[in-house]
Amino acid sequence: MDKILEAVVMSSYPNNVKQGLVRRVIEAAKQPMDSEQCWSMLELSTKLYLTGDTKYKREIGKEVLEVYGHYHPEEFEEFFNVRFLLSLLQEGYGPLGKRSHYVLDYIQLGLQFVMESPSANSIFSLLRIEVLRKVCERPSPKQCAKISKLLTQHPQCIPTGKHQVLFCQQLIRCIGQFQCISEGEEDIMEFLEQVNKVSGLLQRIWRTQTSAILPSLKELFTIISSTEEQEAPSNALASVVQFVPLELMDGVIRNLTNDDSITDVQMMTAIGRMIDWVSWPLGKNIDKWIIALLKGLAAVKKFSILIEVTLSKIEKVFSKLLYPIVREGALSVLQYMLLSFQHSHEAFHLLLPHIPRLVASLKKENSNSATSSLEQLAELIHCMFFRFSGFPDLYEPVLEAVKALPIPNEDRIKHLLGQNAWTSQKNELACFYPRLASKSETGKIGLINLGNTCYMNSIIQSLFMASDFRHSVLNLTEGNSQPLMTKLQWLFAFLEHSQRPAISPESFLSASWPPWFTPGAQQDCSEYLKYLLDRLHEEEKTGKRIYQKLKESSLMSQAVEHHYLNKTLIEKMFGGKMMTKIRCLKCLNVSSREEAFTDLSLAFPPSDRHVRGSTSVLPVEEIGPQFIEPPENPSQLTGSPWIPRKPPMARDPAAPSMPVETLGFQETGEPASPLSSNAVGGDAAKDPLSAFREQACAPKDSRSVPDLINYFLSPERLTAENKYHCEKCASLQDAEKVAELTEGPHYLILTLLRFSFDPRTMKRKKILDNVSIPVVLKLPVLVTSEETEEICCHGKDRTAPGSGFISVVYDLCSVVVHSGISSESGHYYCYSRECTDTVPHGQPQDRAPKPASDKQLDFEIQWYLFNDTRVSFSSFESVSNVTSFFPKDTAYVLFYRQRPGRQSCLLREALAEAGHLHGEPSLHKDLMEAISKDNILYLQEQEKEARNRAAYISALPKSPLWWRDFDRDKDDDSSSGGCSPAAGGGGSGSFHGLVF
């Protein structure tokens, strides 16, 4: 019968004809048959099953085996013996070089017919040893899946005792070497199914033998932490972790993170490879294990590992949000990585270029998964905006992308950040400031934040960018008896000449620290600036060394010496004078008091008070490359503020306030002639104050800096509880108070009083109103005729009696921005540009200087953004729009520099003649040596760090494909965006890129 069957199978008849003949043979096999015939048929069917070159032949072999196993059990048991099986497993079946791949399938088929036979236990014992041996030989995923199928169906064949633990470990080793070569989707799905079968076997073993779990996990960690393997272990290992009971997680993680035998490189390699597992589409709980290990490393303060791994892997994790099949786990890991990485903006900034594209892709997908992910992503982005404010230029495209998505409230943001921080002790991360390989492309140097010291960093950078002040500080000689100024000199010198991308201002901080400031807490930068300038002023006032040396060197003329000898550097650079006048409304007596100031604190007018329209508009305009000269004839000085007039209802919204330009008192019925359009003959003769009214201002629905200055200078009515004690009347009387600028500072500092005490909440609240900032500001400064003559001191005759105003023009040079809603929290950063004179050395001094080029004026001068260690190029457009995009980011302290004009000629001459204004300052020897030594030290540190980092990075698994996800999504407009394996990536190739 075996000959007949073989002839039929090997014949060229059609399969349907063959099937009829085979059916007859199979029916005949159900009848009683002698042993020899049975053996012949079993040998033939075995041959067909194991070596048949077609599926049809193998199917016939299987049918015959099943019939003989069922109807001839004794003969089948005798044929299917231990020796035969051992031969199959060790030597294979078929000709050499063409061994059958179906041996395991054949054994699984035959086992069902010998389960009750006496030889069953011998067969099981044999298989327990042989499957262990097979697994140790590292079979292919397909063969491994067959072993798993065999053992799942026949658990008696699973190795026992110590061999069972060894079997689990070797099986994990096998999974670690699984690779899917094909990129076809069907092949990939088959591969995933094979992996699932193998990991499912492990789950079955662990359920019945929990003692095998920990040794298995130890082997898994050994594999993923190995730094010796040429190829990274397969991501298929992720399928193993999903079956580990979560109740074991805490103990496993604690043992790992406290094991001193595990090196940092091994741990970093392991966590890096685990993070790659977010790509595995069949894994469950993988994100939980990754996050648990990251938290475990934070608990033992392995911050360097966390930083390296986060920076090297976060972009790859982010890219997986494109794929619905792995999106949920990837988003969980991404959320923890970002929310925990709070010491530096580096991790978040790596994602900034990719966020708009991902948001667009998720919106296009329009699925429940995409919508949910968008909302969570937006919440995450706003948390990062809150934590790392001060990067408006970088954040603008991202903010535009997520503007339609919900914004979390501040309590929610603080909760998320507080819940996920690596540590509550900020000083533990002090040494992990952002790594900057080289100086900013701007050539400027940043300042390290020493723990909420951004308020100081912003002020220092603003002072440093005040070039006249910086040059003067750098030119100070040794032994000047000014310890704080000396420290500032050293700090400025390092900012000017260091090779470091950022330096630590620790020494200056300790020296300039106001004693009432709380260490580690956010402070008011304006308060710090006032304290710093006052300290520097008082220190120099005591020493007087600089001015004594100027006197001894006879570089200054007697007139200049007389005018400036008693002024400190702070007074020269930032000092102005203001006259406060109070007029009794009964006797019309005027008392006045002149006082010095280094900054003007500008309050916000009440909401019902508008300093516009019929009232004055402060001189503001964005003018071209020109310089304002003082009036050429006395008539161009505006009228005296001493003209008697009846008092207006100051601070009364119903009555228009007097324009800023008058700053005086006027009688009833007498017009404010200096401001009237007919006060002077025509445009050519128009005085500076008249011109002020024609200057552009901010939109009606917002305030401007001129509005605030105008409010500051407008008359104030002193009545009721604020009555003035008139010495002439010897009693309290209603009065009017007005302030007038009598000397404009070289650098005008304006502080916008945004913080006010709220008695309801007992906290200082912040006024978030947007204030437009002019790049050029005109101020009226009151001068007497004698002062005018002194100012115009080069042969021009000024004999007109009385006094009036001249226009003093200021250019914006720095803006300190506060980001936040309270003075006790938030973040400071600053915009700055370097406003300098462009006076050629040979230009005569009897004329107002002219600009060398338009490039150095107004909008065209390069702006920089200083945000602690980061310095970047910026623009005035960014300065102007920052509050529009980020409502909590508001201008707080402004620095303006006076343009060259007659009033400032004496100071400029003094500085220029002393060598302070032109050329590079020459630093003294000790300072230059200190900078040189530090630059050498920095280079050595860089070399050492590069070597250490190379060792770390070489240990990390390579991830070369992450960026392709973004490129593919950008180019492939036909992406389905659904829940299929290839959704969001464009076909099977992208799915292969996802998993492998």
Side-chain angles (χ1 to χ4, degrees):
M1 190 178 291
D2 58 302
K3 300 295 184 183
I4 297 172
L5 180 61
E6 186 174 13
V8 169
V9 171
M10 299 300 178
S11 69
S12 58
Y13 292 126
N15 283 349
N16 59 339
V17 175
K18 290 182 183 180
Q19 191 62 35
L21 296 173
V22 169
R23 188 59 48 200
R24 287 185 179 184
V25 173
I26 289 176
E27 287 299 322
K30 295 178 182 180
Q31 304 302 318
M33 195 177 294
D34 61 59
S35 178
E36 186 178 348
Q37 185 62 47
C38 282
W39 270 75
S40 297
M41 287 298 289
L42 286 169
E43 285 178 343
L44 176 61
S45 58
T46 297
K47 178 182 177 182
L48 289 173
Y49 188 88
L50 291 174
T51 61
D53 54 3
T54 65
K55 185 177 180 181
Y56 175 71
K57 291 178 182 178
R58 292 195 297 275
E59 286 294 329
I60 291 175
K62 179 183 177 183
E63 281 190 62
V64 173
L65 282 169
E66 288 175 337
V67 168
Y68 277 84
H70 186 73
Y71 291 98
H72 306 280
E74 292 180 2
E75 285 79 4
F76 188 89
E77 182 184 341
E78 187 180 351
F79 178 80
F80 200 78
N81 59 63
V82 171
R83 182 178 294 180
F84 175 59
L85 295 181
L86 181 62
S87 173
L88 282 179
L89 289 166
Q90 292 191 353
E91 299 175 14
Y93 188 92
L96 191 64
K98 292 186 179 180
R99 300 300 190 194
S100 173
H101 298 295
Y102 301 99
V103 169
L104 291 169
D105 306 87
Y106 175 82
I107 293 174
Q108 182 180 340
L109 176 66
L111 276 177
Q112 60 185 310
F113 302 110
V114 297
M115 297 294 290
E116 303 299 328
S117 70
S119 62
N121 287 333
S122 299
I123 293 174
F124 294 153
S125 296
L126 170 69
L127 290 176
R128 282 194 286 267
I129 295 172
E130 286 301 307
V131 293
L132 177 57
R133 183 184 62 79
K134 279 281 186 187
V135 168
C136 291
E137 291 175 353
R138 306 287 180 265
S140 66
K142 189 172 184 178
Q143 290 299 308
C144 237
K146 288 181 177 181
I147 293 174
S148 300
K149 185 179 178 182
L150 170 65
L151 299 184
T152 301
Q153 190 169 342
H154 302 287
Q156 305 93 326
C157 302
I158 296 174
T160 57
K162 292 182 178 179
H163 286 173
Q164 188 176 79
V165 172
L166 181 59
F167 176 76
C168 290
Q169 291 174 328
Q170 294 302 316
L171 201 58
I172 291 172
R173 287 268 175 195
C174 284
I175 297 174
Q177 294 191 358
F178 285 178
Q179 298 295 335
C180 182
I181 308 302
S182 172
E183 293 192 6
E185 191 164 330
E186 288 185 6
D187 293 332
I188 292 174
M189 296 308 295
E190 182 184 359
F191 173 75
L192 295 175
E193 186 179 350
Q194 292 163 356
V195 174
N196 214 30
K197 284 181 181 178
V198 179
S199 58
L201 173 62
L202 282 169
Q203 180 191 26
R204 183 186 181 94
I205 295 173
W206 290 346
R207 278 179 181 170
T208 58
Q209 196 68 35
T210 55
S211 60
I213 297 177
L214 292 180
S216 300
L217 290 181
K218 187 174 182 181
E219 189 69 19
L220 173 64
F221 186 82
T222 301
I223 295 169
I224 63 174
S225 63
S226 173
T227 59
E228 299 174 358
E229 302 292 336
Q230 292 296 321
E231 288 189 18
S234 171
N235 280 352
L237 286 170
S239 64
V240 175
V241 177
Q242 64 182 329
F243 295 124
V244 180
L246 292 179
E247 55 265 25
L248 296 179
M249 181 183 287
D250 289 344
V252 170
I253 297 299
R254 196 180 307 111
N255 289 339
L256 277 179
T257 53
N258 288 282
D259 189 342
D260 293 335
S261 66
I262 300 173
T263 66
D264 284 359
V265 172
Q266 289 175 321
M267 183 62 77
M268 188 171 63
T269 304
I271 186 61
R273 285 169 175 165
M274 283 181 69
I275 290 172
D276 288 343
W277 293 350
V278 297
S279 313
W280 189 254
L282 300 178
K284 296 177 184 177
N285 299 327
I286 293 172
D287 56 324
K288 294 182 176 65
W289 280 94
I290 294 171
I291 293 170
L293 183 52
L294 291 172
K295 287 182 176 179
L297 291 171
V300 295
K301 307 189 188 311
K302 296 284 188 180
F303 301 129
S304 58
I305 297 177
L306 291 167
I307 290 170
E308 291 291 347
V309 169
T310 301
L311 294 179
S312 63
K313 293 296 181 181
I314 197 165
E315 287 174 283
K316 184 173 183 180
V317 173
F318 183 80
S319 72
K320 300 313 168 190
L321 299 183
L322 288 167
Y323 302 93
I325 198 170
V326 297
R327 183 175 292 152
E328 184 180 355
L331 186 56
S332 295
V333 175
L334 179 73
Q335 284 175 321
Y336 179 75
M337 291 175 84
L338 274 183
L339 290 172
S340 62
F341 202 92
Q342 294 185 28
H343 71 287
S344 160
H345 55 258
E346 287 176 284
F348 178 51
H349 284 193
L350 286 174
L351 305 182
L352 293 179
H354 313 305
I355 291 175
R357 208 183 310 174
L358 175 69
V359 170
S361 177
L362 292 177
K363 286 180 179 178
K364 181 181 176 183
E365 183 180 314
N366 194 28
S367 65
N368 291 336
S369 167
T371 302
S372 173
S373 298
L374 272 174
E375 291 177 357
Q376 293 179 69
L377 184 62
E379 181 177 71
L380 190 57
I381 289 169
H382 283 289
C383 285
M384 295 297 100
F385 284 167
F386 180 86
R387 180 65 187 86
F388 304 115
S389 55
F391 302 93
D393 297 348
L394 288 177
Y395 293 168
E396 203 172 297
V398 177
L399 189 66
E400 183 68 23
V402 301
K403 65 181 180 181
L405 297 170
I407 300 175
N409 61 43
E410 188 166 331
D411 288 340
R412 170 68 176 166
I413 290 174
K414 288 180 177 177
H415 171 72
L416 289 172
L417 291 171
Q419 192 179 42
N420 292 281
W422 285 338
T423 173
S424 59
Q425 304 300 317
K426 294 181 180 179
N427 59 332
E428 292 179 341
L429 288 164
C431 58
F432 297 108
Y433 65 90
R435 289 190 318 271
L436 300 168
S438 58
K439 285 174 74 169
S440 160
E441 61 181 351
T442 64
K444 305 295 182 184
I445 296 174
L447 289 169
I448 296 169
N449 191 317
L450 302 172
N452 281 330
T453 57
C454 53
Y455 66 91
M456 178 189 70
N457 290 349
S458 299
I459 292 300
I460 289 175
Q461 294 286 20
S462 298
L463 292 174
F464 178 80
M465 292 297 285
S467 54
D468 298 338
F469 178 64
R470 179 180 75 244
H471 281 234
S472 297
V473 171
L474 291 176
N475 270 297
L476 289 176
T477 56
E478 290 183 88
N480 52 52
S481 299
Q482 299 177 63
L484 184 58
M485 186 69 85
T486 300
K487 285 186 180 293
L488 183 62
Q489 181 188 43
W490 278 62
L491 185 56
F492 278 5
F494 273 82
L495 285 173
E496 183 102 342
H497 299 289
S498 178
Q499 292 301 314
R500 295 180 183 273
I503 60 175
S504 170
E506 186 174 4
S507 175
F508 188 76
L509 173 65
S510 60
S512 63
W513 183 276
W516 61 90
F517 277 15
T518 305
Q522 185 60 277
Q523 306 293 344
D524 188 329
C525 75
S526 173
E527 187 178 1
Y528 174 77
L529 174 61
K530 287 183 176 73
Y531 176 78
L532 175 62
L533 295 182
D534 186 58
R535 277 276 309 276
L536 293 171
H537 166 69
E538 291 299 328
E539 192 177 79
E540 184 180 347
K541 200 172 176 183
T542 303
K544 297 288 186 180
R545 291 293 184 88
I546 296 175
Y547 302 100
Q548 192 62 37
K549 287 187 179 293
L550 284 173
K551 182 180 179 182
E552 291 171 1
S553 62
S554 300
L555 289 175
M556 301 176 72
S557 65
Q558 291 298 315
V560 173
E561 179 184 332
H562 176 74
H563 192 79
Y564 283 100
L565 182 58
N566 292 321
K567 283 198 171 189
T568 66
L569 179 60
I570 299 303
E571 287 177 308
K572 290 184 194 178
M573 291 294 170
F574 305 103
K577 289 183 180 178
M578 187 190 323
M579 182 77 74
T580 303
K581 300 177 181 178
I582 302 177
R583 188 177 74 149
C584 174
L585 296 183
K586 182 178 181 182
C587 67
L588 302 184
N589 179 59
V590 177
S591 65
S592 61
R593 182 180 76 256
E594 188 176 53
E595 50 193 353
F597 67 88
T598 53
D599 80 310
L600 297 180
S601 298
L602 306 180
F604 282 71
S607 56
D608 58 351
R609 163 97 180 190
H610 299 284
V611 193
R612 291 188 181 283
S614 61
T615 66
S616 71
V617 175
L618 196 76
V620 178
E621 64 179 347
E622 294 165 2
I623 57 178
Q626 59 179 331
F627 288 90
I628 306 301
E629 297 201 32
E632 289 295 327
N633 58 68
S635 66
Q636 284 185 264
L637 292 174
T638 59
S640 168
W642 300 101
I643 301 172
R645 65 178 174 88
K646 288 191 177 179
M649 298 297 291
R651 308 288 188 192
D652 183 358
S657 302
M658 285 305 297
V660 159
E661 292 82 1
T662 8
L663 298 177
F665 309 104
Q666 182 179 351
E667 288 189 6
T668 306
E670 191 171 322
S673 58
L675 292 175
S676 304
S677 58
N678 58 0
V680 282
D683 290 345
K686 199 174 290 183
D687 64 76
L689 296 182
S690 301
F692 293 160
R693 301 195 64 180
E694 300 174 7
Q695 296 174 22
C697 12
K700 291 183 180 179
D701 59 346
S702 68
R703 301 191 184 279
S704 66
V705 170
D707 290 339
L708 303 189
I709 299 179
N710 198 46
Y711 179 62
F712 176 82
L713 297 176
S714 62
E716 178 185 1
R717 186 75 173 268
L718 304 178
T719 60
E721 295 179 357
N722 292 326
K723 281 188 177 184
Y724 164 69
H725 185 274
C726 175
E727 293 182 0
K728 191 172 182 180
C729 299
S731 61
L732 293 174
Q733 298 292 338
D734 288 351
E736 191 177 57
K737 177 182 176 182
V738 69
E740 298 170 339
L741 299 179
T742 57
E743 184 179 317
H746 185 59
Y747 283 101
L748 174 67
I749 300 175
L750 303 176
T751 301
L752 312 188
L753 296 178
R754 291 190 173 275
F755 302 112
S756 61
F757 184 76
D758 186 349
R760 185 175 54 84
T761 60
M762 302 300 290
K763 290 183 178 179
R764 291 177 74 193
K765 66 178 183 179
K766 181 179 177 182
I767 300 171
L768 294 171
D769 294 6
N770 192 1
V771 177
S772 64
I773 304 170
V775 71
V776 179
L777 181 70
K778 280 186 182 178
L779 284 183
V781 176
L782 180 68
V783 293
T784 64
S785 58
E786 291 80 6
E787 287 175 321
T788 305
E789 185 175 355
E790 185 179 347
I791 290 169
C792 307
C793 55
H794 293 276
K796 302 262 178 133
D797 199 11
R798 295 288 184 269
T799 58
S803 60
F805 294 94
I806 63 167
S807 301
V808 179
V809 183
Y810 285 90
D811 293 298
L812 181 68
C813 54
S814 286
V815 178
V816 178
V817 177
H818 177 264
S819 175
I821 60 171
S822 167
S823 62
E824 289 81 24
S825 62
H827 179 63
Y828 289 100
Y829 56 95
C830 75
Y831 292 93
S832 288
R833 63 174 180 166
E834 198 155 0
C835 295
T836 57
D837 295 339
T838 54
V839 188
H841 287 285
Q843 181 170 315
Q845 293 297 319
D846 60 344
R847 304 183 54 191
K850 301 295 180 183
S853 70
D854 294 358
K855 176 70 178 173
Q856 294 167 321
L857 291 167
D858 302 341
F859 296 101
E860 296 188 23
I861 299 178
Q862 180 63 59
W863 282 89
Y864 302 95
L865 176 56
F866 294 89
N867 187 1
D868 289 334
T869 55
R870 185 179 182 273
V871 187
S872 58
F873 289 115
S874 191
S875 65
F876 182 69
E877 182 182 7
S878 178
V879 180
S880 304
N881 295 335
V882 63
T883 309
S884 302
F885 282 100
F886 303 92
K888 295 177 184 177
D889 291 29
T890 53
Y892 184 37
V893 179
L894 313 177
F895 287 72
Y896 281 89
R897 179 181 185 272
Q898 189 180 139
R899 275 198 187 176
R902 295 303 184 190
Q903 197 198 27
S904 61
C905 66
L906 294 178
L907 172 61
R908 294 176 188 280
E909 285 179 22
L911 292 177
E913 289 175 6
H916 292 183
L917 200 58
H918 301 292
E920 282 296 316
S922 55
L923 305 179
H924 56 78
K925 184 180 178 182
D926 289 350
L927 185 48
M928 286 303 299
E929 286 181 357
I931 294 172
S932 298
K933 286 180 180 178
D934 186 69
N935 285 339
I936 294 171
L937 178 62
Y938 170 66
L939 293 176
Q940 293 171 344
E941 290 172 358
Q942 287 293 92
E943 291 173 1
K944 183 179 179 181
E945 183 181 347
R947 287 194 297 269
N948 294 340
R949 189 165 165 76
Y952 262 41
I953 296 302
S954 63
L956 286 172
K958 303 297 185 292
S959 306
L961 295 174
W962 65 263
W963 64 85
R964 297 187 191 174
D965 299 315
F966 293 109
D967 296 338
R968 186 160 42 244
D969 181 69
K970 180 181 178 182
D971 300 333
D972 185 7
D973 291 333
S974 62
S975 169
S976 65
C979 294
S980 65
S988 60
S990 65
F991 185 60
H992 184 272
L994 161 69
V995 182
F996 311 108

